Amino acid sequence: MRFKNPLVQKFWKFSTSFQLGIPVLVALTILIMWGTIVESQYDAFAAEKLVYRSWMMYLTMGLLVYNLAIVVVDRMPWKSRHIPFILVHAGIILIVIGGYVTQKYGLDGSMMLPINGKNNYVQVAQTDVVVYATFDGDRYTKVFESEVDFFLHPPTEDKPYKINLGDAEITVKKYLKYARVSKKLKKSTDANAGASVKFQLQNANVQQVETLTQNSKTKTADVNFGPLKVVLGHDVKDKGRKDRATNEIYFNAKSDTELNYELYRKEEMKSFKSGRIKIGDIISTGWMGLELRLLDYLLQATEEWDAVEVDRPTPLTSPALLLQFGDKTQWTLLNDVIKLFGDNEAFLFSFQNRRMDIGFPVYLKKFEMTHYDGTQKAKTYSSAVEIVPPNGNAPVSGLIAMNEPLKYAGYTFYQASFNQDEKTGEPTASVLSVNLDPGRWIKYLGSLVLSLGIVWLFVQTRRRKTAQ
């Protein structure tokens, strides 16, 4: 194409030349290589944040589309020999557009289905800070919610992230991308705080140390060792139990220094042993020679995280925030909830992955798992699910297994993994990967157009050589 203005003509010539096309392709190659290295050194989330969704990638892809479109327009008026050339360029443009549509409007996350339970929320990568407030310790009201990207824009001591709550203020002083964390118990001044016990179970063959902490004094905490279950914070007499599947020990807070305990045999409703125990005391359970020693005890306790930054992510690391509320600082983790106490109110603070409602519940009807012979390692696992449409239509049932996804209403459900009880090894929940790809048909169309253009170009070239 020709333009009267020499500057416009010069710019147009540059836009259609290799002077733009080659640098764009080189930049795209470098970005893809960089993304691959980042993902191998860190993880896919870091590669997405630093490379694939960076301004550099958007600029490069934008220039690529611009260059391809301008080159096609520059060939006007088009002739029949230009068709394969146009198809190849149009196919690439459609693939890029389809990828952007998916990135902008699609969904990629995970859904956890408890055994015999349901869920209609998908957890995605975006993160939010949410704060609830209560004045009576019972009813909570959401007082703050905001999307945050601490990975790219972390708060620091000099530039903290502040949440103004009227008479109170929560300050996020530090963010760790990858933190190795451990829990520590501290004495609490909250009247509703539950108790905490640390104990050791041992016999000639077993030695196990465990800590139980109540979330509040009205809730229980328990751990099941198979032949023995230990429960903290419950009055057995008020439970009205009609069966007992295993031997049990019940602890109840008595004072700052003592605990009440009661021992029950399997399938017996009446305790055969009871009393009080102090730190250092030993209870002989009468089962398999097991003895229980009380190592530590707090009448009112709270668990807090201790975080240490590491360079690379591992299965044991988590993002962590250092909070300051009043004169107190403490760590919290991604998807953890902590309670902060003011003079006249209490707040629940959560730094969490966003949960998206997909509009219909997914029920886990059955979860099946097979093991490799002679091991407890999972070989195959699958989820039989039922989806209840929101429009009142009949439920849709299906089986989701490895390499066998289920598609419904534009969503694709994959079997990703499962959660299991650390003590018994029994599965407790099925974890599904959920994908919504609204740009898929555009990418498929682009691939078809690109393939057609390549084949046409190949045939056209062969004909020209034959004609010569």
Side-chain angles (χ1 to χ4, degrees), residues 82-100:
H82 292 144
I83 294 177
F85 169 83
I86 294 171
L87 290 175
V88 170
H89 285 65
I92 298 174
I93 292 174
L94 285 171
I95 292 172
V96 173
I97 292 174
Y100 177 77

Side-chain angles (χ1 to χ4, degrees), residues 272-293:
F272 70 91
K273 188 175 184 180
S274 62
R276 297 180 182 179
I277 185 173
K278 297 180 180 179
I279 296 175
D281 290 349
I282 296 176
I283 302 173
S284 178
T285 67
W287 307 304
M288 302 169 59
L290 282 172
E291 292 184 335
L292 186 148
R293 180 193 296 271

Side-chain angles (χ1 to χ4, degrees), residues 65 74 83 105 131 140 223 231 264 436 440 464:
V65 171
D74 190 59
I83 294 177
Y105 302 104
V131 181
Y140 283 86
V223 58
V231 184
Y264 290 79
L436 176 66
R440 179 181 288 134
R464 287 177 183 174

Side-chain angles (χ1 to χ4, degrees), residues 200-412:
Q200 181 184 56
L201 275 175
Q202 61 181 1
N203 61 14
N205 302 312
V206 177
Q207 182 168 309
Q208 177 81 33
V209 176
E210 190 70 41
T211 300
L212 286 178
T213 304
Q214 296 171 264
N215 290 331
S216 71
K217 64 181 181 182
T218 59
K219 297 182 179 180
T220 62
D222 63 75
V223 58
N224 196 333
F225 296 98
L228 174 65
K229 182 178 180 180
V230 182
V231 184
L232 170 65
H234 190 78
D235 189 346
V236 184
K237 297 176 183 178
D238 293 339
K239 190 172 183 181
R241 294 193 54 166
K242 297 181 180 180
D243 60 1
R244 194 176 308 282
T246 185
N247 304 311
E248 296 177 348
I249 298 179
Y250 283 82
F251 286 118
N252 281 285
K254 174 63 178 177
S255 66
D256 287 338
T257 58
E258 288 184 324
L259 278 170
N260 287 340
Y261 72 87
E262 293 181 82
L263 276 68
Y264 290 79
R265 293 191 180 96
K266 182 179 180 180
E267 298 179 352
E268 293 186 4
M269 299 302 104
K270 187 176 180 180
S271 67
F272 70 91
K273 188 175 184 180
S274 62
R276 297 180 182 179
I277 185 173
K278 297 180 180 179
I279 296 175
D281 290 349
I282 296 176
I283 302 173
S284 178
T285 67
W287 307 304
M288 302 169 59
L290 282 172
E291 292 184 335
L292 186 148
R293 180 193 296 271
L294 184 63
L295 301 178
D296 199 3
Y297 163 60
L298 289 173
L299 179 62
Q300 293 175 318
T302 181
E303 288 183 320
E304 292 186 2
W305 291 107
D306 189 23
V308 177
E309 187 172 18
V310 296
D311 295 331
R312 297 285 189 274
T314 71
L316 300 179
T317 59
S318 170
L321 298 180
L322 180 62
L323 302 182
Q324 180 171 348
F325 185 73
D327 57 356
K328 183 180 179 182
T329 60
Q330 64 184 99
W331 289 99
T332 184
L333 308 183
L334 181 64
N335 295 319
D336 194 21
V337 178
I338 62 171
K339 183 178 287 188
L340 306 170
F341 297 96
D343 295 332
N344 302 308
E345 69 282 302
F347 298 98
L348 291 181
F349 177 95
S350 177
F351 169 51
Q352 62 190 34
N353 287 111
R354 185 175 302 168
R355 297 169 70 238
M356 308 289 290
D357 188 350
I358 59 176
F360 52 85
V362 180
Y363 292 81
L364 179 61
K365 310 302 289 186
K366 188 177 182 180
F367 182 81
E368 292 187 336
M369 178 174 58
T370 62
H371 299 88
Y372 287 99
D373 293 339
T375 73
Q376 291 299 310
K377 185 178 180 181
K379 182 178 181 181
T380 63
Y381 41 93
S382 61
S383 302
V385 302
E386 182 180 84
I387 296 175
V388 180
N391 53 13
N393 290 341
V396 177
S397 299
L399 182 69
I400 306 173
M402 292 183 289
N403 301 319
E404 295 182 24
L406 173 68
K407 295 184 178 181
Y408 177 80
Y411 293 91
T412 304

Side-chain angles (χ1 to χ4, degrees), residues 49-110:
K49 283 289 186 181
L50 297 175
V51 183
Y52 299 126
R53 293 201 180 202
S54 67
W55 66 268
M56 294 175 290
M57 181 61 79
Y58 286 129
L59 176 61
T60 302
M61 299 304 289
L63 288 174
L64 176 63
V65 171
Y66 170 77
N67 179 246
L68 293 172
I70 290 296
V71 168
V72 170
V73 172
D74 190 59
R75 294 298 190 274
M76 295 178 66
W78 298 319
K79 298 180 181 180
S80 59
R81 69 174 185 273
H82 292 144
I83 294 177
F85 169 83
I86 294 171
L87 290 175
V88 170
H89 285 65
I92 298 174
I93 292 174
L94 285 171
I95 292 172
V96 173
I97 292 174
Y100 177 77
V101 170
T102 295
Q103 191 178 91
K104 185 72 174 178
Y105 302 104
L107 182 145
D108 190 12
S110 62

